[in-house]
């Protein structure tokens, strides 16, 4: 399938981020848990509720967001939107009328179900490793340095993060720093694709019409 046909397929199927979230709920019905922490998720129509006890999650500060599932952009909206004119004049909300931005924002390959508090705390921070930092979320080993604006994800999410960044970078010409390329290459190697990653990729392909080849090709090697 050509890139133009893939794009047209997606545009006709997914109109905006809201619709992408609704579709993502259906895709992740059998997900092994929330993206970073692995909490079991109870799906109720248009919302997901994490079982915080199932993964030993400790609420850091924001209870309202900690008790709900939100859709995390692995590659944050800021990274693919902040250079656009709409963003410069009115931030993310202003870009909702920009077709190119909406297209990237609603890419299902980049959306993961995360505990809302983690989603908010991670913000648009880059991923990295914080060797001397401890987790603020109980047994969920998510580390965030708010001063350095760096988030270190648990090992369970690192491979998927790397493969998502490679996919988004290639598809949308998102520039990665040399440090990002280095760390994601290591994560991709050290944390190979899981059975769920392959299943999720297949489900997204059926709806969106394009593969994340950094996952897809590895699935056939298993």
């Amino acid at each position: 399938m050509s890139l133009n046909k893939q794009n047209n397929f997606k545009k006709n199927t997914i109109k905006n981020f809201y619709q992408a979230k609704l579709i993502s709920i259906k895709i992740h019905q059998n997900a092994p848990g929330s993206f970073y922490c692995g909490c079991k998720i109870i799906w109720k129509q248009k919302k997901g509720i994490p079982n915080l006890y199932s993964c030993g999650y400790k609420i850091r500060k924001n209870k309202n967001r900690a008790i709900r599932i939100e859709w995390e952009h692995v590659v944050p909206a800021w990274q693919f939107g902040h250079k656009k004119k709409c963003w410069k004049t009115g931030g993310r909300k202003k870009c909702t009328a920009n077709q190119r931005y909406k297209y990237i924002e609603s890419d299902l390959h980049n959306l993961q179900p995360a505990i809302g508090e983690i989603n908010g705390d991670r913000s648009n921070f880059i991923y990295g490793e914080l060797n001397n930092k401890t987790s603020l979320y109980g047994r969920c080993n998510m580390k965030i340095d708010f001063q350095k604006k760096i988030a270190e994800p648990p090992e369970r999410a690192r491979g998927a993060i790397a493969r998502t960044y490679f996919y988004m970078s290639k598809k949308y010409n998102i520039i990665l720093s040399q440090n990002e390329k280095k760390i994601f290459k290591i994560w991709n190697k050290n944390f190979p694709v899981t059975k769920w990653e392959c299943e999720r990729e297949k489900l997204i392909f059926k709806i969106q019409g394009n593969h994340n080849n950094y996952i897809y090709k590895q699935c056939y090697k298993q």
Side-chain angles (χ1 to χ4, degrees), residues 73-82 87 92 101 105 110 122-124:
H73 284 93
V74 176
V75 177
W78 179 89
Q79 197 158 358
F80 55 76
H82 77 282
W87 193 289
R92 182 174 177 177
Y101 173 84
E105 183 186 40
N110 191 39
R122 187 257 168 149
S123 183
N124 58 15

Side-chain angles (χ1 to χ4, degrees), residues 17-74:
F17 181 40
Y18 175 74
Q19 190 175 12
K21 290 189 287 185
L22 296 181
I23 294 172
S24 291
I25 289 173
K26 296 178 180 180
I27 290 171
H28 290 83
Q29 289 294 313
N30 296 315
S34 61
F35 184 56
Y36 296 116
C37 305
C39 291
K40 293 180 180 179
I41 302 173
I42 301 169
W43 297 106
K44 292 186 176 181
Q45 295 180 335
K46 296 182 180 180
K47 65 180 181 179
I49 303 171
N51 182 336
L52 303 183
Y53 294 102
S54 68
C55 66
Y57 185 89
K58 179 182 177 182
I59 299 173
R60 183 185 73 84
K61 183 178 181 181
N62 194 328
K63 182 179 179 180
N64 288 335
R65 294 185 72 173
I67 59 175
R68 72 189 189 205
I69 290 295
E70 296 179 359
W71 292 98
E72 165 83 300
H73 284 93
V74 176

Side-chain angles (χ1 to χ4, degrees), residues 12-221:
N12 292 332
T13 306
I14 305 169
K15 303 297 183 182
N16 51 47
F17 181 40
Y18 175 74
Q19 190 175 12
K21 290 189 287 185
L22 296 181
I23 294 172
S24 291
I25 289 173
K26 296 178 180 180
I27 290 171
H28 290 83
Q29 289 294 313
N30 296 315
S34 61
F35 184 56
Y36 296 116
C37 305
C39 291
K40 293 180 180 179
I41 302 173
I42 301 169
W43 297 106
K44 292 186 176 181
Q45 295 180 335
K46 296 182 180 180
K47 65 180 181 179
I49 303 171
N51 182 336
L52 303 183
Y53 294 102
S54 68
C55 66
Y57 185 89
K58 179 182 177 182
I59 299 173
R60 183 185 73 84
K61 183 178 181 181
N62 194 328
K63 182 179 179 180
N64 288 335
R65 294 185 72 173
I67 59 175
R68 72 189 189 205
I69 290 295
E70 296 179 359
W71 292 98
E72 165 83 300
H73 284 93
V74 176
V75 177
W78 179 89
Q79 197 158 358
F80 55 76
H82 77 282
K83 291 184 179 181
K84 295 185 180 299
K85 184 178 179 180
C86 57
W87 193 289
K88 293 178 180 179
T89 57
R92 182 174 177 177
K93 289 183 179 180
K94 187 75 172 180
C95 282
T96 56
N98 182 287
Q99 289 298 320
R100 176 66 174 172
Y101 173 84
K102 285 200 300 182
Y103 178 73
I104 303 174
E105 183 186 40
S106 61
D107 192 312
L108 299 174
H109 287 295
N110 191 39
L111 299 180
Q112 293 282 1
I115 293 173
E117 182 178 42
I118 294 284
N119 183 33
D121 284 355
R122 187 257 168 149
S123 183
N124 58 15
F125 297 171
I126 62 172
Y127 292 111
E129 295 186 359
L130 300 165
N131 298 322
N132 298 321
K133 194 79 174 176
T134 57
S135 171
L136 301 174
Y137 309 97
R139 292 206 312 271
C140 176
N141 197 29
M142 181 75 173
K143 302 175 183 178
I144 297 179
D145 190 316
F146 294 98
Q147 291 184 328
K148 294 182 180 179
K149 297 185 177 182
I150 297 174
E152 178 185 301
E155 291 186 355
R156 71 185 310 276
R158 293 182 187 180
I161 287 170
R163 290 180 278 277
T164 301
Y165 260 85
F166 289 148
Y167 160 80
M168 293 289 286
S169 176
K170 184 174 183 178
K171 184 170 178 61
Y172 302 113
N173 297 315
I174 296 172
I175 304 301
L176 303 183
S177 69
Q178 288 302 313
N179 187 59
E180 285 177 315
K181 290 178 182 178
K182 180 180 179 180
I183 197 169
F184 293 150
K185 184 176 181 180
I186 293 172
W187 287 0
N188 180 49
K189 180 181 178 180
N190 291 347
F191 305 100
V193 294
T194 63
K195 183 179 179 180
W196 166 244
E197 268 188 275
C198 292
E199 183 179 341
R200 175 180 176 273
E201 203 281 333
K202 186 186 297 183
L203 291 171
I204 291 174
F205 172 73
K206 288 180 179 179
I207 297 169
Q208 189 166 283
N210 74 309
H211 287 293
N212 176 342
N213 283 322
Y214 296 94
I215 296 174
Y216 177 68
K217 290 181 179 180
Q218 287 195 41
C219 292
Y220 280 95
K221 294 180 181 180

